[in-house]
Amino acid sequence: MTATGADSPVSTWAPLASRIYRALWIAQLVSNLGTWMQTVGAQWLLVGDPHAATLVSLVQTATTLPVMLLAVPSGVLADLLDRRRLLIGAQAAMALVATALTVVTATGQITPPALLTLLFVLGVGQALTAPAWQAIQPELVPRNQIPAAAALGSMGFNVGRAVGPAIAGALVSLAGPTLVFGLNAVSFVGIVAVLFRWRRPAEEQDLPAERPIAALAAGLRFIRAAPAIRRVLLRSILFIAPASALWALLPVIAHDRLHLESSGYGLLLGALGAGAVLGATQLSRLRRRLSPTHGLASAAALFGVSTVLAATVPNTAIVLVGLIGGGFAWMTSMSTLNATMQLLLSSWVRARGMSVYQLVFMGGQALGSLAWGLVAGAYGTETAMIAAAALLGLCAVSTLWLPVRVATLDTTPTAYWPEPVLDFEPAADDGPVLVLVTYHVPEETAAEFSAAMARVGRSRQRTGAMEWRLYRDVSVADRYTEAFVVRSWQEHMRQHQVRLTAQDRLAEQRLERYTVGEIQTRHLVAVQPVRGWRRG
């Protein structure tokens, strides 16, 4: 079964035909500009401090550390709460914090600790909203436009990164950091206004809300039982870890090899940003010619070439051309991985899955940057970057045996299990629940049945089973019993009503081809024995 329209590449600009998506994209682009302008303003505010070298580096730490610490909990919240309300609340709070930063700076009361604290709080807001932003994309555009929406999102981020610092540099030189802080505060207002206009369809939910810890465990079980998603996360690590070398060591290349000032370093970053924008505009054309796997391989190879050029060529013009190619490759890889994750995740767990992807991305880049810095310090910048380029080449080759697959998965929610026949109604928290499903399998189809059952087992685990196993009855040779354990009755009802997809149904239909007779299902709820009871 092919996912609806998932294989038909559309124009990169197609999602902008949706009025609400277009308004949110523009508002988020403005907010990205404001965020990067704020970063430059904060760094400029600290350059005159005696401890400027340490404090300026802490600006980036203050804004990114919350994302790494809170990515997964934020994903849980985005799946449990109304995503629109969560985004409105977080964006409004960030506007207030940014306003406070503006006022404190304007009145001359700002200090390095106060600045870093306010930036950290703003980073918390970014961490809370990032998984929700990712998770609402499939609600705004059709499934076949998700890759284009991912590319546009990355384009907006890279435009902000390329243009925001340049604008901030001009404004700070004219009016000081207060102006850019104020503009950043205003940028949040646009997002809140658009979100208020969006009328998100209400979700009918007959079951009580999930508890956060249980929701987190369910999300991790889903990823653990989804080989395709684990493959995307692995491919992310294989690319990001070596690719982080270029981002981490580019300032050293600009200063030591190319002998550029800060404005020249900004030009190098602008080339990466321009390449990323170019990549976004060409994404639909690439998808017509290359599969996601081939696109990732090509991107890794091209980014490796860009890294080698930056490390070995002392000519700024050639390096700029190479960095445009690097930006193109970065956009291709990031948008492909992001879109593939969104296409593979079921709606009930999408924010949790995207938060794990975000954690892998941020953690890989942060740890990779640290590692390549240490390698450069020990063996030299050129050696470190050539080693990173070699690993990018291996990353490209590894797609031969570690490809990504998405086209045949249909994650449309489908509640197809019959309701259990009950003699009494268990309480929501009763459990664990043992589900026994009995099949009769002819000897000649037993091998095919076992192979098909492996897929069904992963389906059970993705949707809530803590334990799963298949047994064969020693007293009746053709009778097999599938047993799986779910944490509570409420959790099992979520399997019935919320978590099953068309892909799960297809797996069960394939399994049934190898069985005969009626399939019987029983539900057993754990009973706590009464302590202290004595017979007689």
Side-chain angles (χ1 to χ4, degrees):
M1 183 180 294
T2 301
T4 310
D7 292 328
S8 305
V10 298
S11 168
T12 301
W13 313 106
L16 296 177
S18 165
R19 185 170 62 179
I20 184 62
Y21 179 88
R22 182 172 65 249
L24 278 173
W25 186 81
I26 293 172
Q28 198 168 18
L29 173 61
V30 172
S31 183
N32 282 332
L33 287 168
T35 298
W36 283 100
M37 289 165 60
Q38 171 192 266
T39 299
V40 172
Q43 291 172 334
W44 185 259
L45 197 61
L46 295 171
V47 292
D49 192 278
H51 306 288
T54 301
L55 291 172
V56 169
S57 65
L58 286 175
V59 169
Q60 199 67 25
T61 303
T63 54
T64 58
L65 183 61
V67 177
M68 293 186 62
L69 295 176
L70 300 176
V72 175
S74 298
V76 172
L77 285 178
D79 278 331
L80 298 186
L81 305 177
D82 183 281
R83 291 166 186 161
R84 172 179 169 271
R85 294 181 179 178
L86 174 62
L87 287 169
I88 290 174
Q91 294 290 325
M94 291 166 71
L96 293 175
V97 176
T99 300
L101 174 58
T102 305
V103 172
V104 173
T105 305
T107 56
Q109 303 300 311
I110 194 68
T111 62
L115 174 63
L116 293 173
T117 299
L118 289 170
L119 291 177
F120 183 86
V121 175
L122 286 167
V124 170
Q126 294 282 6
L128 289 174
T129 57
W133 274 123
Q134 299 283 354
I136 67 171
Q137 301 303 308
E139 301 180 39
L140 303 175
V141 298
R143 180 179 171 86
N144 68 327
Q145 292 183 11
I146 288 177
L152 285 171
S154 296
M155 179 196 291
F157 178 82
N158 282 283
V159 167
R161 177 163 56 186
V163 178
I167 296 175
L171 293 178
V172 168
S173 65
L174 291 174
T178 302
L179 178 59
V180 295
F181 292 161
L183 291 174
N184 184 49
V186 173
S187 72
F188 293 112
V189 176
I191 293 180
V192 173
V194 175
L195 287 169
F196 265 113
R197 288 175 51 200
W198 178 31
R199 293 294 177 259
R200 183 174 186 248
E203 294 181 350
E204 295 185 5
Q205 188 66 271
D206 296 330
L207 297 169
E210 290 185 80
R211 295 173 180 171
I213 299 300
L216 174 61
L220 296 178
R221 273 198 305 270
F222 183 96
I223 292 172
R224 190 167 58 247
I229 290 175
R230 296 203 312 272
R231 179 66 54 80
V232 173
L233 296 175
L234 175 59
R235 293 239 56 94
S236 300
I237 294 172
L238 291 176
F239 177 77
I240 290 167
S244 63
L246 180 60
W247 294 101
L249 300 177
L250 191 59
V252 181
I253 292 294
H255 184 271
D256 294 350
R257 176 170 286 276
L258 301 178
H259 308 293
L260 299 175
E261 301 296 332
S262 59
S263 59
Y265 172 57
L267 186 64
L268 298 183
L269 287 178
L272 281 167
V277 172
L278 178 62
T281 63
Q282 299 301 310
L283 183 64
S284 60
R285 184 175 299 177
L286 286 174
R287 290 187 70 239
R288 292 188 187 98
R289 289 167 170 76
L290 299 174
S291 68
T293 297
H294 291 150
L296 291 173
S298 301
L302 180 56
F303 204 88
V305 171
S306 178
T307 302
V308 169
L309 289 176
T312 60
V313 176
N315 185 291
T316 302
I318 295 176
V319 172
L320 284 171
V321 173
L323 290 176
I324 291 174
F328 188 103
W330 180 268
M331 167 62 72
T332 301
S333 185
M334 291 299 97
S335 61
T336 299
L337 292 168
N338 186 296
T340 302
M341 277 292 291
Q342 294 200 36
L343 290 169
L344 289 172
L345 289 164
S346 300
S347 58
W348 66 271
V349 75
R350 184 171 290 122
R352 277 166 277 187
M354 292 307 298
S355 70
V356 173
Y357 168 76
Q358 183 182 21
L359 180 62
V360 167
F361 174 79
M362 296 292 293
Q365 196 165 18
L367 296 177
S369 297
L370 174 61
W372 291 118
L374 294 174
V375 173
Y379 301 103
T381 301
E382 183 175 338
T383 300
M385 293 187 70
I386 290 175
L391 290 177
L392 284 164
L394 290 176
C395 173
V397 173
S398 71
T399 58
L400 294 174
W401 61 88
L402 293 173
V404 294
R405 298 184 180 91
V406 62
T408 57
L409 299 181
D410 185 353
T411 58
T412 305
T414 308
Y416 61 91
W417 281 358
E419 289 299 307
V421 177
L422 303 178
D423 190 47
F424 70 94
E425 181 73 34
D429 290 333
D430 281 355
V433 176
L434 173 63
V435 183
L436 302 174
V437 187
T438 302
Y439 308 88
H440 291 275
V441 184
E443 185 65 30
E444 58 270 19
T445 63
E448 292 88 346
F449 171 81
S450 295
M453 181 56 82
R455 292 181 177 272
V456 171
R458 288 195 293 270
S459 167
R460 309 295 199 223
Q461 292 170 303
R462 282 195 303 271
T463 55
M466 300 185 299
E467 301 175 23
W468 176 89
R469 187 157 297 215
L470 179 65
Y471 298 88
R472 187 177 184 183
D473 195 330
V474 295
S475 63
V476 182
D478 71 343
R479 186 160 64 195
Y480 292 75
T481 297
E482 173 196 9
F484 61 94
V485 178
V486 187
R487 184 179 61 86
S488 67
W489 185 253
Q490 176 181 300
E491 188 85 352
H492 184 51
M493 288 299 97
R494 292 189 187 282
Q495 284 185 296
H496 274 263
Q497 300 175 21
V498 178
R499 296 179 177 174
L500 294 171
T501 67
Q503 191 66 28
D504 298 316
R505 185 173 193 175
L506 179 61
E508 293 192 36
Q509 288 172 340
R510 287 173 177 165
L511 178 75
E512 290 169 6
R513 297 174 190 170
Y514 309 114
T515 68
V516 295
E518 182 182 1
I519 297 174
Q520 298 177 329
T521 303
R522 291 187 296 156
H523 298 81
L524 290 76
V525 179
V527 176
Q528 297 297 329
V530 179
R531 296 181 179 179
W533 181 81
R534 296 287 186 274
R535 180 178 298 178

